[in-house]
């Protein structure tokens, strides 16, 4: 009997951490992130500046100089493998947070507490200069909004909680990708993906409307397993404002055979 008791005790001790992990409190809640309430001046001691080349959806802000840039921090310790966590401070106060995970994120508390505002395609991060198309779902919770983003081409998910804009911090929130205005002149479209993007030719021309002419853009596009746009990157030989977002919005409703990938060019002479 004594041996059985010892064995059972050992099993319980070994299994205890698993039960504790399952019951662990969520990192982000409607009222806080990292246990820090919104508006608090507390900062984790292990945080480092967020890499500026790492793209996050729903992270836009309005500013004219470097002093207008909010302080974005990434937690560097105690973060589970396959996850990244970010905090944003404005004037020393916590205003926003992002949780990025290779795997599912629990949105139950936000769904219960919030009112759904919209669902639609939104750009998120990817490797090698690409942006990923994903499905975003946004809720309004009092004076905050929450975005849940799910990648179309991987298991990556993002949960973002954003504050209401103030006089000191102008927020640019994510919104579903929709084709913008058509160009005032026709553009020449060529390349391997020409046939699949031709339905968006007028919108692609519109993306170069305000660029110095002549201007040429090269766009690399990958479709997902359902034939929907999955990843995109682009370059131009003349400055073109909001280039990636505009091209993504232009092609968002196009389709191609599953897992098609390649490039196309857009040329505007005038």
């Amino acid at each position: 009997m004594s041996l059985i008791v010892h064995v059972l005790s050992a099993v319980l001790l070994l299994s205890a951490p698993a039960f504790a992990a399952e019951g662990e409190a969520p990192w982000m809640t409607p009222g806080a992130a990292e246990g820090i309430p919104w508006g608090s001046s507390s900062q984790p001691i292990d945080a480092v500046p967020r890499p500026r080349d790492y793209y996050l959806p729903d992270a836009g802000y309005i500013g004219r100089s470097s002093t207008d840039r909010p302080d974005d921090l990434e937690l560097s310790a105690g973060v589970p493998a396959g996850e990244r966590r970010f905090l944003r401070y404005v004037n020393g106060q916590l205003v926003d947070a992002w949780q990025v995970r290779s795997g599912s994120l629990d949105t139950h508390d936000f769904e219960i507490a919030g009112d759904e505002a919209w669902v639609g395609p939104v750009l998120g991060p990817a490797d090698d200069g690409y942006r990923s198309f994903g499905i975003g779902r946004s809720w309004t919770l009092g004076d905050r909004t929450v975005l849940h983003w799910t990648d179309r081409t991987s298991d990556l998910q993002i949960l973002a909680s954003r504050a209401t804009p103030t006089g000191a911090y102008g927020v640019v929130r994510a919104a579903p990708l929709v084709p913008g205005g058509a160009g005032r002149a026709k553009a020449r479209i060529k390349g391997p993906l020409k046939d699949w993007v031709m339905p968006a030719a007028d919108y692609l021309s519109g993306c170069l409307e305000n660029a110095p002419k002549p201007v040429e853009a090269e766009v690399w596009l990958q479709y997902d397993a359902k034939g929907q746009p999955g990843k995109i990157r682009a370059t131009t030989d003349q400055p073109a404002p909001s280039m990636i977002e505009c091209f993504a919005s232009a092609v968002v409703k196009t389709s191609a055979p599953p897992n098609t990938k390649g490039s196309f060019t857009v040329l505007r002479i005038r």
Side-chain angles (χ1 to χ4, degrees):
M1 180 67 69
S2 177
L3 177 61
I4 295 175
V5 171
H6 285 304
V7 170
L8 288 175
S9 298
V11 170
L12 289 173
L13 286 172
L14 289 172
S15 61
F19 289 119
E22 289 179 4
E24 186 179 350
W27 179 74
M28 189 190 304
T29 68
E34 184 68 9
I36 303 172
W38 306 119
S40 172
S41 59
S42 297
Q43 294 189 14
I45 59 174
D46 62 308
V48 297
R50 172 169 74 95
R52 292 191 178 184
D53 61 348
Y54 186 73
Y55 178 79
L56 286 170
D58 215 25
Y61 70 95
I62 299 171
R64 296 182 178 179
S65 68
S66 59
T67 58
D68 296 323
R69 183 186 296 273
D71 294 319
D72 286 1
L73 304 177
E74 180 173 6
L75 274 66
S76 60
V79 179
E83 184 163 319
R84 300 180 73 170
R85 297 172 177 177
F86 303 90
L87 301 174
R88 171 171 290 179
Y89 288 81
V90 173
N91 293 328
Q93 296 181 320
L94 178 64
V95 292
D96 305 333
W98 291 262
Q99 185 175 12
V100 183
R101 177 185 293 173
S102 295
S104 61
L105 288 166
D106 185 2
T107 63
H108 180 264
D109 289 347
F110 302 99
E111 295 178 48
I112 297 300
D115 297 317
E116 186 173 278
W118 52 262
V119 177
V122 175
L123 288 181
D127 297 326
D128 300 326
Y130 280 87
R131 301 274 179 86
S132 282
F133 290 82
I135 296 300
R137 185 180 181 190
S138 182
W139 298 275
T140 301
L141 286 77
D143 61 353
R144 302 189 65 81
T145 62
V146 172
L147 174 73
H148 179 226
W149 181 84
T150 303
D151 194 1
R152 281 180 174 174
T153 58
S154 74
D155 64 350
L156 193 70
Q157 294 190 14
I158 297 175
L159 193 60
S161 180
R162 301 290 307 277
T164 296
T166 67
Y169 174 41
V171 177
V172 180
R173 300 193 187 282
L177 296 170
V178 294
R184 289 181 292 179
K186 292 291 184 180
R188 180 182 177 186
I189 312 294
K190 60 181 181 179
L193 295 185
K194 173 184 175 180
D195 291 345
W196 308 116
V197 301
M198 277 305 294
D202 289 343
Y203 300 124
L204 292 168
S205 173
C207 292
L208 301 177
E209 188 69 32
N210 296 318
K213 312 295 188 302
V215 55
E216 183 175 83
E218 185 166 11
V219 183
W220 292 265
L221 186 60
Q222 299 180 18
Y223 289 85
D224 67 8
K226 296 181 179 180
Q228 308 171 110
K231 292 183 179 181
I232 189 171
R233 68 182 178 93
T235 60
T236 58
D237 60 3
Q238 297 285 358
S242 304
M243 173 184 61
I244 292 290
E245 291 78 7
C246 188
F247 286 133
S249 297
V251 303
V252 68
K253 294 185 177 181
T254 65
S255 60
N259 301 313
T260 296
K261 61 181 179 179
S263 65
F264 62 93
T265 60
V266 185
L267 175 63
R268 276 282 303 269
I269 300 299
R270 57 184 180 87

